[in-house]
Amino acid sequence: MPSLRPKPALFNPIFRLTTSGLLRRTGAGGAVRAMDAAQVFDRESGASDEPDQRARLKIAIVGFGNFGQFLARTFAEQGHAVIGHSRSDHSAAARSLGAAFFRDPHDLCEQHPDVVVLCTSILSTEAVLRSLPLQRLRRSTLFVDVLSVKEFPRNLLLQLLPPEFDILCTHPMFGPESGKHGWSGLPFVYDKVRIGDSEDRANRCRRFLDIFAREGCRMVEMSCTEHDENAAEIQFLTHTVGRLLAKLDLKPTPINTKGYETLLELVENTRSDSFDLYNGLFMYNNNSTELLERLELAFNSLRKELFGRLHVNLRKQLFQSPDGGSSPGAEEN
Ligand code: NAP
C-alpha cells in the first residue's frame, strides 16, 4: 500500500529485527518470559529487505471501536499495514479502512505485528490484555496504549508484559469529534516507559511517534504521573461539565451568544464519547475524586454567594417603609 502523504524529516526506515521468540509464563498470574527461538517468525510474517517494506510498520489495533477505527484510518493512509481485533465483529469497518480484521486474537498475534496498540475501554484493558496470547507475538514487539489515563496502563503493562517487549504509553488528546478536521496542533502526550537500547527498537518507536508528528500533532513528552495530574483538570472537568450540561437538554435559540454556543459545542464534543470512557477517567485517575469534590464545593460556594445577596436585598425590601425609612419591625430585628 503506497504512502499517500509526503515523507517528513523525522522519517527513518526501520530495520526488521532478526530474532523472534517464544514466551512462557512463570506461574499463575506471573510475568511472561521470552525464550529464544528460530527466526522463522520473521520469514513467516513476510518481512522484506526492500526499503519501502522496512519503512512500513505492521500495526495491530486491539479494541477496534470508535477511537481504534479513527486511528486506523490515519495509520492506513500513511501506508502502514493495519490489522485489528475486537470483542465485536468490525470486519466491514476494517475493510472500508483498508485494514484486515481478526476475530480470534491468536490469528491476530500470529501476524507478528511490529506494534500492538491497545485501544480498548479503560475498564476492560486488563481483561483484554490478559486474554491476548502474548506467546504468539515476536518477543521484540512494541506495545503502545492510547488510554486517556496513563499511570494505570503503565503499571499494568510493566506487570503483565514480558521484559523483552517495549512499552510506549501515549495519549492522543483528541478524538473523532475534535480531530475530525485534522490533527494539526493537537497535543499528543507520550512516555517512553521501556524502549530497548538497540537502534532498531529506538527507530521503531520513533517511527510510530512519527505518524502523529507528520500529522502536525504537538508532541509532548511527559511522565504518566504528570499526565494524570494535569489530565484530571483538563479532561475530567471538561467531560463532567459537558455531561452536566447535556442533562439540561440545552437547545439552540435564535439569539445564541458566543458563550452559549461554546457550551453547546462542549455538549456535542463530550456526548459522542462513551460513558465507559468517562467512567474510566473517574475510576482510574487518582486525582478525579478530589476534582469532583472541589467542583461541588465551588458550586455550593457560588450558590451561597448568590442566595446571600438575594437574602440581603429581600430583607431590605421587606423592612423598608413606604416613605423610605426603616419600618419598626426592621429595628426590632
Ligand atoms: P471506549 O468505550 O472507551 O472503548 C471502546 C472499545 O473498548 C471498543 O473497541 C470495545 O470493543 C472495547 N471494549 C469495551 N468493553 C469491553 C470488554 N468488556 N471486553 C473487550 N473489549 C471491550 O471508547 P473509545 O472512544 O473507542 O476509546 C477507546 C480507548 O481510547 C479508551 O481507552 C479511551 O480512553 C482512549 N481514547 C479515546 C479518545 C476519544 O476521544 N474517544 C481519545 C483518546 C484516547 P467492541 O468495539 O468490540 O465493543
Side-chain angles (χ1 to χ4, degrees):
M1 193 186 314
S3 172
L4 304 175
R5 311 232 170 139
K7 288 182 180 176
L10 262 173
F11 194 82
N12 265 325
I14 179 169
F15 294 89
R16 283 196 179 260
L17 297 168
T18 51
T19 52
S20 297
L22 292 174
L23 306 163
R24 71 181 140 85
R25 282 201 175 273
T26 56
V32 182
R33 301 217 147 266
M35 300 190 304
D36 282 345
Q39 296 177 19
V40 61
F41 287 160
D42 288 321
R43 268 181 251 120
E44 276 178 0
S45 68
S48 156
D49 286 328
E50 291 299 311
D52 275 359
Q53 290 298 312
R54 290 198 307 254
R56 195 178 178 222
L57 290 171
K58 186 187 274 187
I59 306 174
I61 298 181
V62 175
F64 210 73
N66 191 25
F67 195 61
Q69 291 175 30
F70 172 68
L71 290 179
R73 172 169 287 112
T74 299
F75 293 172
E77 279 176 3
Q78 284 198 17
H80 298 290
V82 182
I83 56 179
H85 163 71
S86 223
R87 175 184 56 171
S88 324
D89 184 6
H90 293 294
S91 312
R95 239 186 337 270
S96 74
L97 295 167
F101 189 82
F102 296 88
R103 292 220 63 184
D104 188 323
H106 289 260
D107 293 336
L108 179 97
C109 292
E110 280 172 0
Q111 296 297 312
H112 305 132
D114 302 299
V115 186
V116 176
V117 180
L118 269 181
C119 201
T120 53
S121 68
I122 299 167
L123 303 176
S124 67
T125 300
E126 179 166 359
V128 171
L129 186 58
R130 285 186 187 277
S131 73
L132 290 181
L134 300 176
Q135 74 279 7
R136 298 203 184 279
L137 291 164
R138 289 187 301 178
R139 72 173 172 184
S140 64
T141 308
L142 166 64
F143 258 77
V144 178
D145 87 279
V146 294
L147 270 59
S148 306
V149 292
K150 294 273 53 81
E151 279 198 271
F152 163 66
R154 180 200 55 195
N155 296 341
L156 192 70
L157 292 172
L158 282 170
Q159 186 197 337
L160 296 184
L161 292 181
E164 294 80 9
F165 282 15
D166 286 350
I167 301 173
L168 175 69
C169 288
T170 78
H171 183 198
M173 300 202 59
F174 49 89
E177 193 56 38
S178 53
K180 66 182 170 195
H181 300 304
W183 302 356
S184 182
L186 301 175
F188 180 88
V189 176
Y190 64 96
D191 185 0
K192 294 178 188 170
V193 172
R194 188 174 72 201
I195 305 294
D197 286 337
S198 76
E199 189 51 31
D200 286 349
R201 287 175 180 247
N203 254 338
R204 177 179 53 190
C205 177
R206 201 160 35 235
R207 294 228 39 248
F208 182 80
L209 291 173
D210 202 25
I211 297 174
F212 296 87
R214 68 192 295 185
E215 294 298 319
C217 286
R218 187 157 55 82
M219 307 298 285
V220 184
E221 189 164 10
M222 180 183 273
S223 75
C224 292
T225 309
E226 208 183 332
H227 167 278
D228 283 3
E229 282 163 12
N230 289 305
E233 301 226 333
I234 298 169
Q235 282 190 112
F236 185 64
L237 180 63
T238 310
H239 280 255
T240 301
V241 174
R243 285 186 176 271
L244 211 57
L245 293 174
K247 285 191 185 295
L248 298 179
D249 198 19
L250 304 178
K251 299 268 186 291
T253 76
I255 51 165
N256 281 359
T257 57
K258 277 202 183 313
Y260 186 69
E261 274 180 0
T262 310
L263 295 186
L264 292 178
E265 255 173 55
L266 179 61
V267 173
E268 205 47 45
N269 262 328
T270 41
R271 198 207 304 265
S272 50
D273 287 324
S274 70
F275 194 83
D276 263 7
L277 199 164
Y278 177 57
N279 196 14
L281 293 177
F282 175 66
M283 297 273 289
Y284 288 90
N285 188 333
N286 283 330
N287 308 290
S288 296
T289 313
E290 192 206 320
L291 189 89
L292 210 54
E293 278 163 8
R294 277 170 52 209
L295 200 63
E296 201 176 337
L297 283 175
F299 182 71
N300 285 341
S301 132
L302 206 58
R303 193 168 51 181
K304 209 166 154 190
E305 209 174 316
L306 283 176
F307 279 100
R309 286 182 188 215
L310 185 69
H311 204 215
V312 170
N313 286 339
L314 273 178
R315 279 183 141 238
K316 268 190 196 154
Q317 281 174 25
L318 276 176
F319 297 115
Q320 217 156 35
S321 63
D323 61 0
S326 293
S327 69
E331 279 159 17
E332 278 164 26
N333 287 302

